[in-house]
Amino acid sequence: MQVILPPAMLGILGGGQLGRMFVSAAKRMGYRVTVLDPDAQAPAAEFADVHLCAAYNDAEALRTLAASCAAITTEFENVNADAMRELAKTTRVSPSGDCVAIAQDRIAEKAWVNKAGLPTAPYLAIESVEDIQVELAPYLPGILKTARLGYDGKGQVRVNSADEARAAYANLGGQACVLEKMLDLKLEVSAIVTRVSPEQLSVFPVAENIHKNGILDESIVPARIAPALAAQAQQMARQLAEALDYVGVLAVEFFVLADDSLVINEIAPRPHNSGHYTIDACVSDQYQQQVRAMCGLLPGRTDLLSPVVMVNLLGDVWQADGGEPNWNVLMEAPNAHLHLYGKKHARPGRKMGHYTVLATDVDAALEQARALKETL
Ligand code: ADP
Ligand code: MG
Protein backbone atom coordinates (compact mmCIF):
# COMPACT_ATOMS: atom_id res chain seq x y z
CA MET A 1 0.00 0.00 0.00
CA GLN A 2 1.23 3.47 -0.95
CA VAL A 3 1.95 5.59 2.11
CA ILE A 4 0.51 9.07 2.45
CA LEU A 5 2.99 11.61 3.83
CA PRO A 6 2.72 15.20 5.08
CA PRO A 7 1.61 17.73 3.98
CA ALA A 8 -1.20 15.72 2.39
CA MET A 9 -4.78 16.71 3.21
CA LEU A 10 -6.66 14.26 5.43
CA GLY A 11 -10.44 14.29 5.87
CA ILE A 12 -12.59 13.39 8.84
CA LEU A 13 -16.33 12.90 9.13
CA GLY A 14 -17.38 14.56 12.37
CA GLY A 15 -15.87 17.41 14.33
CA GLY A 16 -16.52 16.60 17.99
CA GLN A 17 -13.83 16.17 20.64
CA LEU A 18 -12.49 12.98 19.08
CA GLY A 19 -12.19 14.83 15.79
CA ARG A 20 -10.49 17.74 17.53
CA MET A 21 -7.83 15.47 19.06
CA PHE A 22 -7.39 13.75 15.69
CA VAL A 23 -6.88 17.12 13.97
CA SER A 24 -4.40 18.14 16.64
CA ALA A 25 -2.36 14.93 16.14
CA ALA A 26 -2.45 15.18 12.35
CA LYS A 27 -1.46 18.85 12.34
CA ARG A 28 1.48 18.21 14.67
CA MET A 29 2.71 15.64 12.18
CA GLY A 30 2.45 18.18 9.37
CA TYR A 31 -0.70 17.01 7.63
CA ARG A 32 -3.53 19.33 6.71
CA VAL A 33 -7.08 18.43 7.70
CA THR A 34 -10.58 18.97 6.39
CA VAL A 35 -13.46 18.43 8.83
CA LEU A 36 -17.03 17.76 7.73
CA ASP A 37 -19.50 18.72 10.45
CA PRO A 38 -22.82 20.58 10.25
CA ASP A 39 -22.13 22.47 13.49
CA ALA A 40 -20.52 25.87 12.89
CA GLN A 41 -18.97 25.61 16.38
CA ALA A 42 -17.76 22.00 16.09
CA PRO A 43 -14.84 21.47 18.52
CA ALA A 44 -12.55 20.22 15.71
CA ALA A 45 -13.32 23.10 13.38
CA GLU A 46 -11.15 25.69 15.09
CA PHE A 47 -8.05 23.53 14.57
CA ALA A 48 -8.84 22.37 11.03
CA ASP A 49 -7.51 23.87 7.80
CA VAL A 50 -10.91 23.51 6.16
CA HIS A 51 -14.32 23.15 7.77
CA LEU A 52 -17.04 21.90 5.47
CA CYS A 53 -20.07 23.04 7.42
CA ALA A 54 -22.69 20.76 5.90
CA ALA A 55 -24.80 17.71 6.65
CA TYR A 56 -23.00 14.34 6.66
CA ASN A 57 -25.01 13.22 3.63
CA ASP A 58 -24.58 16.48 1.69
CA ALA A 59 -23.59 15.27 -1.78
CA GLU A 60 -21.61 18.36 -2.70
CA ALA A 61 -19.65 18.41 0.59
CA LEU A 62 -18.85 14.70 0.19
CA ARG A 63 -17.64 15.33 -3.37
CA THR A 64 -15.39 18.14 -2.13
CA LEU A 65 -14.05 15.89 0.61
CA ALA A 66 -13.30 13.07 -1.83
CA ALA A 67 -11.66 15.39 -4.34
CA SER A 68 -9.49 17.27 -1.84
CA CYS A 69 -8.37 14.57 0.62
CA ALA A 70 -5.80 11.83 0.21
CA ALA A 71 -7.54 9.71 2.85
CA ILE A 72 -10.73 9.96 4.91
CA THR A 73 -11.68 8.66 8.35
CA THR A 74 -14.50 9.15 10.85
CA GLU A 75 -14.75 10.13 14.50
CA PHE A 76 -18.12 8.57 15.18
CA GLU A 77 -20.14 5.55 14.10
CA ASN A 78 -23.42 7.23 13.29
CA VAL A 79 -22.30 8.42 9.89
CA ASN A 80 -23.94 7.10 6.79
CA ALA A 81 -22.06 3.91 5.97
CA ASP A 82 -23.27 4.18 2.37
CA ALA A 83 -21.67 7.62 2.07
CA MET A 84 -18.41 6.05 3.26
CA ARG A 85 -18.71 3.26 0.69
CA GLU A 86 -19.34 5.90 -1.98
CA LEU A 87 -16.30 7.94 -0.90
CA ALA A 88 -14.22 4.76 -1.02
CA LYS A 89 -14.78 4.48 -4.76
CA THR A 90 -12.41 7.39 -5.34
CA THR A 91 -10.53 7.95 -2.05
CA ARG A 92 -8.90 5.84 0.63
CA VAL A 93 -11.42 5.42 3.47
CA SER A 94 -10.74 3.77 6.81
CA PRO A 95 -12.34 2.12 8.63
CA SER A 96 -14.48 0.72 5.82
CA GLY A 97 -18.16 1.59 5.51
CA ASP A 98 -18.86 -2.11 6.14
CA CYS A 99 -17.10 -2.03 9.52
CA VAL A 100 -18.86 1.20 10.48
CA ALA A 101 -22.21 -0.35 9.51
CA ILE A 102 -21.50 -3.22 11.90
CA ALA A 103 -20.44 -0.99 14.80
CA GLN A 104 -23.48 1.30 14.43
CA ASP A 105 -25.99 -1.49 14.84
CA ARG A 106 -25.99 -3.53 18.06
CA ILE A 107 -27.66 -6.47 16.31
CA ALA A 108 -25.01 -6.71 13.59
CA GLU A 109 -22.28 -5.97 16.11
CA LYS A 110 -23.18 -8.78 18.49
CA ALA A 111 -23.66 -11.23 15.63
CA TRP A 112 -20.16 -10.36 14.38
CA VAL A 113 -18.59 -10.71 17.78
CA ASN A 114 -20.09 -14.19 18.16
CA LYS A 115 -19.11 -15.06 14.58
CA ALA A 116 -15.52 -14.17 15.46
CA GLY A 117 -15.77 -16.80 18.20
CA LEU A 118 -16.01 -14.27 21.04
CA PRO A 119 -18.62 -14.05 23.81
CA THR A 120 -21.34 -11.43 24.30
CA ALA A 121 -23.97 -11.20 27.04
CA PRO A 122 -26.95 -13.46 26.25
CA TYR A 123 -29.13 -11.31 23.99
CA LEU A 124 -32.25 -11.35 21.89
CA ALA A 125 -32.34 -9.40 18.62
CA ILE A 126 -35.70 -7.66 18.24
CA GLU A 127 -36.37 -6.41 14.75
CA SER A 128 -40.17 -6.52 14.93
CA VAL A 129 -42.84 -7.04 17.56
CA GLU A 130 -43.03 -10.81 16.80
CA ASP A 131 -39.43 -11.22 17.91
CA ILE A 132 -40.30 -10.25 21.48
CA GLN A 133 -43.21 -12.74 21.78
CA VAL A 134 -40.84 -15.50 22.88
CA GLU A 135 -39.68 -16.79 26.25
CA LEU A 136 -37.70 -13.87 27.68
CA ALA A 137 -36.51 -15.50 30.89
CA PRO A 138 -32.95 -16.12 29.56
CA TYR A 139 -32.53 -12.33 29.17
CA LEU A 140 -34.07 -11.17 32.45
CA PRO A 141 -33.46 -9.09 34.40
CA GLY A 142 -32.13 -7.26 31.39
CA ILE A 143 -31.46 -4.07 29.54
CA LEU A 144 -33.38 -3.16 26.44
CA LYS A 145 -31.10 -1.15 24.14
CA THR A 146 -31.99 0.49 20.86
CA ALA A 147 -29.98 -1.15 18.10
CA ARG A 148 -28.93 2.23 16.74
CA LEU A 149 -27.91 5.70 17.88
CA GLY A 150 -27.49 4.92 21.58
CA TYR A 151 -24.50 6.35 23.42
CA ASP A 152 -23.55 7.28 26.97
CA GLY A 153 -26.35 5.05 28.27
CA LYS A 154 -29.00 6.78 26.13
CA GLY A 155 -31.64 4.59 24.47
CA GLN A 156 -31.44 2.01 27.27
CA VAL A 157 -34.14 0.81 29.66
CA ARG A 158 -33.63 -1.64 32.52
CA VAL A 159 -36.39 -4.24 32.66
CA ASN A 160 -37.20 -6.89 35.27
CA SER A 161 -40.05 -8.84 33.70
CA ALA A 162 -41.33 -9.89 30.29
CA ASP A 163 -44.21 -7.42 30.63
CA GLU A 164 -41.82 -4.59 31.40
CA ALA A 165 -39.63 -5.56 28.45
CA ARG A 166 -42.57 -5.58 26.03
CA ALA A 167 -43.87 -2.26 27.37
CA ALA A 168 -40.40 -0.69 27.10
CA TYR A 169 -40.08 -1.96 23.53
CA ALA A 170 -43.42 -0.36 22.62
CA ASN A 171 -42.33 2.86 24.36
CA LEU A 172 -39.22 3.04 22.20
CA GLY A 173 -41.58 3.22 19.23
CA GLY A 174 -41.01 -0.32 17.99
CA GLN A 175 -37.55 0.44 16.64
CA ALA A 176 -35.02 -2.41 16.38
CA CYS A 177 -33.57 -3.28 19.80
CA VAL A 178 -31.59 -5.87 21.64
CA LEU A 179 -32.67 -7.28 24.97
CA GLU A 180 -29.53 -8.11 26.87
CA LYS A 181 -29.22 -10.01 30.11
CA MET A 182 -28.02 -7.84 32.97
CA LEU A 183 -24.70 -9.32 34.04
CA ASP A 184 -23.05 -9.07 37.41
CA LEU A 185 -19.99 -6.98 36.53
CA LYS A 186 -16.83 -7.17 38.56
CA LEU A 187 -15.46 -4.37 36.47
CA GLU A 188 -15.26 -2.96 32.96
CA VAL A 189 -12.18 -2.68 30.79
CA SER A 190 -11.34 -1.66 27.23
CA ALA A 191 -8.63 -2.44 24.73
CA ILE A 192 -7.87 -0.28 21.71
CA VAL A 193 -6.27 -1.89 18.71
CA THR A 194 -4.69 -0.26 15.67
CA ARG A 195 -4.63 -2.40 12.57
CA VAL A 196 -3.04 -1.34 9.30
CA SER A 197 -2.68 -4.80 7.78
CA PRO A 198 -2.55 -8.40 9.08
CA GLU A 199 1.13 -7.92 9.90
CA GLN A 200 0.85 -4.41 11.26
CA LEU A 201 -1.23 -4.39 14.37
CA SER A 202 -0.73 -3.04 17.87
CA VAL A 203 -2.82 -2.83 21.02
CA PHE A 204 -2.73 -0.23 23.79
CA PRO A 205 -2.52 -1.21 27.46
CA VAL A 206 -5.90 -2.20 28.88
CA ALA A 207 -7.87 0.52 30.66
CA GLU A 208 -10.19 -0.08 33.61
CA ASN A 209 -13.31 2.02 33.17
CA ILE A 210 -15.63 3.33 35.86
CA HIS A 211 -19.00 4.60 34.64
CA LYS A 212 -21.45 6.92 36.37
CA ASN A 213 -25.03 7.07 35.08
CA GLY A 214 -24.02 5.09 31.98
CA ILE A 215 -21.27 7.62 31.10
CA LEU A 216 -17.54 6.98 31.43
CA ASP A 217 -16.23 8.77 34.51
CA GLU A 218 -12.71 7.47 35.11
CA SER A 219 -10.19 5.31 33.25
CA ILE A 220 -7.39 3.70 35.23
CA VAL A 221 -4.30 2.36 33.45
CA PRO A 222 -2.96 -0.21 33.89
CA ALA A 223 -6.29 -1.83 34.76
CA ARG A 224 -6.30 -3.41 38.20
CA ILE A 225 -6.66 -6.94 36.84
CA ALA A 226 -4.26 -9.87 36.51
CA PRO A 227 -1.76 -9.37 33.66
CA ALA A 228 -2.95 -12.60 32.06
CA LEU A 229 -6.52 -11.29 31.93
CA ALA A 230 -5.35 -8.01 30.39
CA ALA A 231 -3.39 -9.99 27.80
CA GLN A 232 -6.52 -11.98 27.05
CA ALA A 233 -8.54 -8.79 26.46
CA GLN A 234 -5.84 -7.52 24.10
CA GLN A 235 -5.86 -10.83 22.27
CA MET A 236 -9.65 -10.75 21.89
CA ALA A 237 -9.46 -7.19 20.49
CA ARG A 238 -6.85 -8.36 17.98
CA GLN A 239 -8.98 -11.34 17.02
CA LEU A 240 -11.98 -9.11 16.38
CA ALA A 241 -9.97 -6.63 14.27
CA GLU A 242 -8.67 -9.59 12.27
CA ALA A 243 -12.17 -11.05 11.76
CA LEU A 244 -13.42 -7.69 10.49
CA ASP A 245 -10.32 -7.20 8.28
CA TYR A 246 -10.30 -3.86 10.05
CA VAL A 247 -8.14 -0.89 9.06
CA GLY A 248 -7.90 1.91 11.59
CA VAL A 249 -8.38 2.28 15.34
CA LEU A 250 -10.91 -0.09 16.92
CA ALA A 251 -12.00 0.21 20.54
CA VAL A 252 -13.39 -2.85 22.30
CA GLU A 253 -15.33 -2.56 25.58
CA PHE A 254 -15.39 -5.61 27.86
CA PHE A 255 -17.22 -6.72 30.96
CA VAL A 256 -15.18 -8.65 33.51
CA LEU A 257 -17.52 -11.09 35.29
CA ALA A 258 -17.26 -12.47 38.82
CA ASP A 259 -15.38 -15.57 37.61
CA ASP A 260 -12.83 -13.37 35.78
CA SER A 261 -14.22 -14.26 32.38
CA LEU A 262 -14.41 -11.58 29.69
CA VAL A 263 -17.49 -10.68 27.68
CA ILE A 264 -17.46 -8.17 24.82
CA ASN A 265 -19.92 -5.34 25.46
CA GLU A 266 -19.54 -3.20 22.36
CA ILE A 267 -17.06 -1.86 19.85
CA ALA A 268 -16.36 1.58 18.42
CA PRO A 269 -14.79 2.06 14.97
CA ARG A 270 -12.62 4.96 16.12
CA PRO A 271 -10.56 6.26 19.03
CA HIS A 272 -12.41 5.98 22.32
CA ASN A 273 -13.00 8.08 25.42
CA SER A 274 -11.18 5.42 27.46
CA GLY A 275 -8.11 5.94 25.25
CA HIS A 276 -7.64 9.65 25.96
CA TYR A 277 -4.97 8.67 28.47
CA THR A 278 -2.70 7.61 25.59
CA ILE A 279 -2.07 11.27 24.69
CA ASP A 280 -0.25 11.95 27.95
CA ALA A 281 0.97 8.50 28.98
CA CYS A 282 2.00 6.44 25.93
CA VAL A 283 4.77 6.48 23.34
CA SER A 284 2.11 7.03 20.63
CA ASP A 285 -1.47 8.10 21.19
CA GLN A 286 -4.68 6.75 19.71
CA TYR A 287 -5.11 9.77 17.41
CA GLN A 288 -1.61 9.42 15.95
CA GLN A 289 -2.53 5.79 15.38
CA GLN A 290 -5.64 6.85 13.47
CA VAL A 291 -3.48 9.08 11.27
CA ARG A 292 -0.91 6.34 10.80
CA ALA A 293 -3.49 3.71 9.90
CA MET A 294 -5.31 5.87 7.35
CA CYS A 295 -1.98 6.84 5.77
CA GLY A 296 -0.75 3.24 5.53
CA LEU A 297 2.09 3.86 8.00
CA LEU A 298 3.32 1.46 10.68
CA PRO A 299 1.37 1.67 13.94
CA GLY A 300 3.36 3.53 16.61
CA ARG A 301 4.59 1.88 19.80
CA THR A 302 1.95 1.69 22.51
CA ASP A 303 4.12 1.34 25.63
CA LEU A 304 2.76 2.96 28.76
CA LEU A 305 5.25 5.53 30.07
CA SER A 306 3.55 6.02 33.44
CA PRO A 307 0.56 4.78 35.42
CA VAL A 308 -2.28 7.19 34.71
CA VAL A 309 -5.87 8.04 35.62
CA MET A 310 -8.15 9.94 33.24
CA VAL A 311 -11.19 11.79 34.58
CA ASN A 312 -13.98 13.04 32.31
CA LEU A 313 -15.21 16.58 32.84
CA LEU A 314 -18.94 16.74 32.16
CA GLY A 315 -20.98 19.92 32.05
CA ASP A 316 -22.11 19.07 35.59
CA VAL A 317 -18.87 20.46 37.05
CA TRP A 318 -19.55 23.89 35.58
CA GLN A 319 -21.42 26.31 37.78
CA ALA A 320 -25.15 26.67 37.34
CA ASP A 321 -24.66 30.09 35.70
CA GLY A 322 -22.17 28.54 33.26
CA GLY A 323 -19.17 29.85 35.23
CA GLU A 324 -15.91 27.93 34.69
CA PRO A 325 -14.68 25.43 37.26
CA ASN A 326 -11.61 26.37 39.27
CA TRP A 327 -8.97 25.33 36.68
CA ASN A 328 -6.25 26.69 38.89
CA VAL A 329 -6.15 23.51 40.95
CA LEU A 330 -5.37 21.43 37.86
CA MET A 331 -2.85 23.95 36.55
CA GLU A 332 -1.04 23.87 39.87
CA ALA A 333 -0.70 20.09 39.86
CA PRO A 334 2.55 19.47 37.93
CA ASN A 335 1.63 15.86 37.12
CA ALA A 336 -1.87 16.67 35.78
CA HIS A 337 -2.87 17.55 32.20
CA LEU A 338 -6.05 19.45 31.42
CA HIS A 339 -7.75 18.98 28.04
CA LEU A 340 -10.74 21.15 27.17
CA TYR A 341 -12.77 20.68 24.00
CA GLY A 342 -13.73 24.30 23.37
CA LYS A 343 -17.47 23.70 23.74
CA LYS A 344 -19.31 26.94 24.42
CA HIS A 345 -22.22 25.65 26.47
CA ALA A 346 -21.92 23.34 29.46
CA ARG A 347 -24.90 21.04 29.93
CA PRO A 348 -25.28 18.21 32.46
CA GLY A 349 -23.91 15.01 30.94
CA ARG A 350 -22.14 16.82 28.08
CA LYS A 351 -18.47 15.88 27.66
CA MET A 352 -16.61 19.20 27.98
CA GLY A 353 -13.07 18.00 28.62
CA HIS A 354 -10.94 15.61 30.64
CA TYR A 355 -7.77 15.57 32.69
CA THR A 356 -5.15 12.99 33.42
CA VAL A 357 -2.99 12.46 36.47
CA LEU A 358 0.30 10.59 36.12
CA ALA A 359 1.90 9.04 39.20
CA THR A 360 4.19 6.22 40.25
CA ASP A 361 1.25 3.85 40.75
CA VAL A 362 -2.45 3.89 39.90
CA ASP A 363 -3.59 4.05 43.52
CA ALA A 364 -1.70 7.30 44.05
CA ALA A 365 -2.93 8.66 40.70
CA LEU A 366 -6.52 7.76 41.52
CA GLU A 367 -6.41 9.28 44.96
CA GLN A 368 -4.97 12.53 43.63
CA ALA A 369 -7.33 12.61 40.62
CA ARG A 370 -10.36 12.29 42.90
CA ALA A 371 -9.07 14.87 45.35
CA LEU A 372 -8.53 17.32 42.46
CA LYS A 373 -12.07 16.79 41.24
CA GLU A 374 -13.43 17.73 44.65
CA THR A 375 -11.74 21.12 44.48
CA LEU A 376 -12.68 22.12 40.91
P1 ADP B 1 -23.29 2.96 25.41
O1 ADP B 1 -23.34 2.82 23.92
O2 ADP B 1 -24.24 3.97 25.92
O3 ADP B 1 -21.88 3.08 25.94
P2 ADP B 1 -23.26 0.33 26.62
O4 ADP B 1 -23.93 -0.85 26.00
O5 ADP B 1 -21.79 0.34 26.64
O6 ADP B 1 -23.90 1.60 25.93
O7 ADP B 1 -23.83 0.47 28.12
C1 ADP B 1 -23.41 1.52 28.97
C2 ADP B 1 -23.05 0.97 30.34
O8 ADP B 1 -24.19 0.31 30.93
C3 ADP B 1 -21.97 -0.11 30.31
O9 ADP B 1 -20.68 0.46 30.26
C4 ADP B 1 -22.27 -0.84 31.61
O10 ADP B 1 -21.80 -0.11 32.73
C5 ADP B 1 -23.78 -0.84 31.66
N1 ADP B 1 -24.30 -2.07 31.00
C6 ADP B 1 -24.61 -2.19 29.69
N2 ADP B 1 -25.02 -3.44 29.38
C7 ADP B 1 -24.94 -4.16 30.51
C8 ADP B 1 -25.21 -5.54 30.86
N3 ADP B 1 -25.64 -6.41 29.95
N4 ADP B 1 -25.02 -5.92 32.14
C9 ADP B 1 -24.59 -5.03 33.08
N5 ADP B 1 -24.31 -3.73 32.82
C10 ADP B 1 -24.47 -3.28 31.56
MG1 MG C 1 -20.38 1.71 25.97
Side-chain angles (χ1 to χ4, degrees), residues 228-243:
L229 192 60
Q232 196 191 339
Q234 289 178 314
Q235 180 49 34
M236 286 164 77
R238 271 192 211 100
Q239 194 176 325
L240 197 54
E242 215 47 67

Side-chain angles (χ1 to χ4, degrees), residues 130-146:
E130 288 79 55
D131 294 335
I132 201 170
Q133 305 310 323
V134 296
E135 178 57 53
L136 299 181
Y139 318 105
L140 293 171
I143 309 186
L144 187 73
K145 302 181 181 177
T146 59

Side-chain angles (χ1 to χ4, degrees), residues 314-325 344-348 376:
L314 303 183
D316 312 58
V317 298
W318 267 247
Q319 286 151 40
D321 63 0
E324 297 286 319
K344 302 282 179 295
H345 303 289
R347 285 191 300 271
L376 280 179

Side-chain angles (χ1 to χ4, degrees), residues 307-332:
V308 59
V309 167
M310 189 269 335
V311 179
N312 263 345
L313 291 166
L314 303 183
D316 312 58
V317 298
W318 267 247
Q319 286 151 40
D321 63 0
E324 297 286 319
N326 177 15
W327 297 134
N328 215 30
V329 300
L330 287 173
M331 296 309 186
E332 282 178 350

